[in-house]
Amino acid sequence: MNSIIEAAAERRHAPAAPAAVTPVVKLMGPGETARWDAFVQACPEATFFHRAGWQSVIERAFGHKTWFMYAEANGEIEGVVCLAEVKSRLFGHSLSSLPFCVYGGVAANTDAAREALDKAAQELARTLNVGQLEYRNLQPRHADWPSKSLYVTFRKEILPDVEQNMLAIPKKQRAMVRKGIKAGLQSEIDTDVERFFKAYSTSVHRLGTPVFSKRYFSILMETFGKDCEIQTITKEGRIISSVLSFYFRDEVLPYYGGGMTEARDVAGNDFMYWELMRRACEKGYKVFDFGRSKVGTGAFDFKKNWGFVPQPLHYEYQLVRSTAVPDNNPLSPKFQLFIKIWQRMPLPLANALGPHIVKSLG
């Protein structure tokens, strides 16, 4: 009995636990990028697309206004959200996390930080009077918001041995990789965007898709440095295909790519992605993020053929002025005439006009 009384007395006289500190939401300042990126690097929910550099990329390349907000408690960052406003007469007015990026939304270490940033983003959307606030989440966050099931992502472990990774590719796709090897294709790392842009712009023009500007890719390389790499595939000195990839923690993310007409004949794209995987394996990376694709497209089928399993992305929308989720899907019948016209347009003209259109798509 005495021990029980003594324990109760100790609890009465013990110092009270410190009260939880409510996170304060702040805008990232010019001198806070290193601090921001240190949080992103350590936060399990964060992705490459939460990095501070995206603010200057989006503002410099596209001219969109951004709000990069963080939640701070006890002097430490506990969560971040990257937001950009896109105004377009053709495609509407939105606040998104984050346009031109496949992942986004709030990344936080605590529920309090997540709630504070979510509330701040919703308040900003109402203040700006946008059509909708969009989160590009890897995991669902708002079951009561409208969402899109249009996109999936493809992620897979990179095995520790190069040959293991080759054998993990399904047989038919592995034969395509070996076809590229037998064709004598070579891979090279580029320090500028010239060869990449030629392969990329040729490829997207063939698909009837507006092109990003060459300047945008130069800004990506300038901003992210060694974490943004271009690998170009050649045959006897000719450009076959090229891919721009991001590196984040233990992941490699091939993000933009394209091939010349000859690429199909020599399995240039197959060889290109294999070379990227092989190099990543040798450098010790653990995850190959093949990125998002629209369900029902050739890109979707191509990635499945590599043995990757599609994982749904949860793009959620809080409707502010809009009454429905925007439909900017190029697979929609309303865009088919535009695609056919674009495919017939001379490549130099398409490259000149494309950046003025694509900056509004996000």
Side-chain angles (χ1 to χ4, degrees), residues 5-192:
I5 295 173
E6 290 170 0
E10 287 178 3
R11 284 196 296 272
R12 282 198 302 270
H13 295 293
V21 177
T22 301
V24 177
V25 175
K26 301 179 180 180
L27 285 174
M28 180 181 71
E32 296 183 301
T33 56
R35 182 172 173 239
W36 175 292
D37 280 341
F39 170 81
V40 168
Q41 189 74 14
C43 177
E45 289 185 356
T47 71
F48 182 84
F49 305 100
H50 288 92
R51 287 187 53 169
W54 284 103
Q55 182 174 60
S56 63
V57 168
I58 289 172
E59 291 185 350
R60 290 172 60 197
F62 306 108
H64 298 317
K65 174 68 176 173
T66 63
W67 289 263
F68 276 44
M69 299 188 292
Y70 64 90
E72 183 181 63
N74 297 315
E76 299 291 334
I77 295 178
E78 293 189 346
V80 299
V81 65
C82 313
L83 295 159
E85 179 186 20
V86 178
K87 286 183 177 181
S88 169
R89 292 181 180 179
L90 287 175
F91 304 109
H93 184 194
S94 65
L95 183 67
S96 178
S97 180
L98 194 62
F100 313 105
C101 299
V102 295
Y103 311 138
V106 177
N109 287 337
T110 67
D111 289 339
R114 186 177 296 104
E115 290 170 9
L117 288 166
D118 191 16
K119 180 180 178 182
Q122 293 182 45
E123 288 177 351
L124 178 61
R126 288 191 291 270
T127 299
L128 296 174
N129 199 29
V130 298
Q132 66 281 336
L133 167 66
E134 177 187 13
Y135 286 154
R136 300 183 175 184
N137 297 326
L138 280 164
Q139 303 297 331
R141 296 295 183 192
H142 291 280
D144 56 330
W145 287 12
S147 62
K148 272 185 183 178
S149 57
L150 176 64
Y151 295 108
V152 297
T153 190
F154 294 84
R155 293 166 54 84
K156 189 178 180 182
E157 178 189 6
I158 298 175
L159 301 172
D161 178 73
V162 170
E163 188 59 24
Q164 284 180 315
N165 287 290
M166 175 65 84
L167 295 176
I169 302 171
K171 186 176 179 180
K172 287 186 178 179
Q173 187 62 45
R174 189 163 69 243
M176 295 299 292
V177 173
R178 296 198 187 281
K179 178 180 178 180
I181 295 172
K182 291 177 182 177
L185 301 184
Q186 300 291 322
S187 65
E188 303 167 11
I189 302 301
D190 287 355
T191 57
D192 60 46

Side-chain angles (χ1 to χ4, degrees), residues 62-331:
F62 306 108
H64 298 317
K65 174 68 176 173
T66 63
W67 289 263
F68 276 44
M69 299 188 292
Y70 64 90
E72 183 181 63
N74 297 315
E76 299 291 334
I77 295 178
E78 293 189 346
V80 299
V81 65
C82 313
L83 295 159
E85 179 186 20
V86 178
K87 286 183 177 181
S88 169
R89 292 181 180 179
L90 287 175
F91 304 109
H93 184 194
S94 65
L95 183 67
S96 178
S97 180
L98 194 62
F100 313 105
C101 299
V102 295
Y103 311 138
V106 177
N109 287 337
T110 67
D111 289 339
R114 186 177 296 104
E115 290 170 9
L117 288 166
D118 191 16
K119 180 180 178 182
Q122 293 182 45
E123 288 177 351
L124 178 61
R126 288 191 291 270
T127 299
L128 296 174
N129 199 29
V130 298
Q132 66 281 336
L133 167 66
E134 177 187 13
Y135 286 154
R136 300 183 175 184
N137 297 326
L138 280 164
Q139 303 297 331
R141 296 295 183 192
H142 291 280
D144 56 330
W145 287 12
S147 62
K148 272 185 183 178
S149 57
L150 176 64
Y151 295 108
V152 297
T153 190
F154 294 84
R155 293 166 54 84
K156 189 178 180 182
E157 178 189 6
I158 298 175
L159 301 172
D161 178 73
V162 170
E163 188 59 24
Q164 284 180 315
N165 287 290
M166 175 65 84
L167 295 176
I169 302 171
K171 186 176 179 180
K172 287 186 178 179
Q173 187 62 45
R174 189 163 69 243
M176 295 299 292
V177 173
R178 296 198 187 281
K179 178 180 178 180
I181 295 172
K182 291 177 182 177
L185 301 184
Q186 300 291 322
S187 65
E188 303 167 11
I189 302 301
D190 287 355
T191 57
D192 60 46
V193 303
E194 294 302 320
R195 296 197 298 180
F196 163 79
F197 188 76
K198 183 175 182 179
Y200 160 78
S201 61
T202 299
S203 184
V204 298
H205 179 256
R206 196 163 55 240
L207 296 171
T209 303
V211 70
F212 286 103
S213 70
K214 186 187 295 185
R215 180 172 176 268
Y216 168 56
F217 298 112
S218 294
I219 290 173
L220 285 175
M221 293 194 73
E222 175 190 332
T223 301
F224 296 116
K226 63 180 178 58
D227 295 329
C228 179
E229 179 185 84
I230 289 177
Q231 174 188 267
T232 298
I233 305 304
T234 63
K235 178 177 172 60
E236 299 172 353
R238 301 187 304 278
I239 302 170
I240 299 298
S241 56
S242 190
V243 60
L244 183 150
S245 302
F246 299 131
Y247 290 89
F248 180 68
R249 292 196 287 242
D250 61 351
E251 304 176 11
V252 59
L253 301 84
Y255 202 65
Y256 294 107
M260 309 300 289
T261 305
E262 188 181 356
R264 181 183 294 269
D265 298 330
V266 295
N269 290 330
D270 309 88
F271 178 81
M272 177 177 72
Y273 289 116
W274 163 247
E275 274 293 283
L276 183 63
M277 185 181 293
R278 180 187 66 78
R279 287 175 181 268
C281 172
E282 291 177 346
K283 293 177 183 177
Y285 287 89
K286 307 296 183 186
V287 176
F288 194 93
D289 187 332
F290 230 150
R292 81 175 186 188
S293 291
K294 299 180 185 72
V295 177
T297 63
F300 176 94
D301 294 336
F302 179 78
K303 293 170 186 179
K304 281 190 70 177
N305 290 343
W306 276 74
F308 285 66
V309 177
Q311 303 168 37
L313 289 174
H314 303 274
Y315 284 19
E316 299 173 336
Y317 300 81
Q318 184 190 46
L319 303 181
V320 181
R321 284 191 305 104
S322 298
T323 57
V325 173
D327 178 21
N328 296 330
N329 178 11
L331 298 178

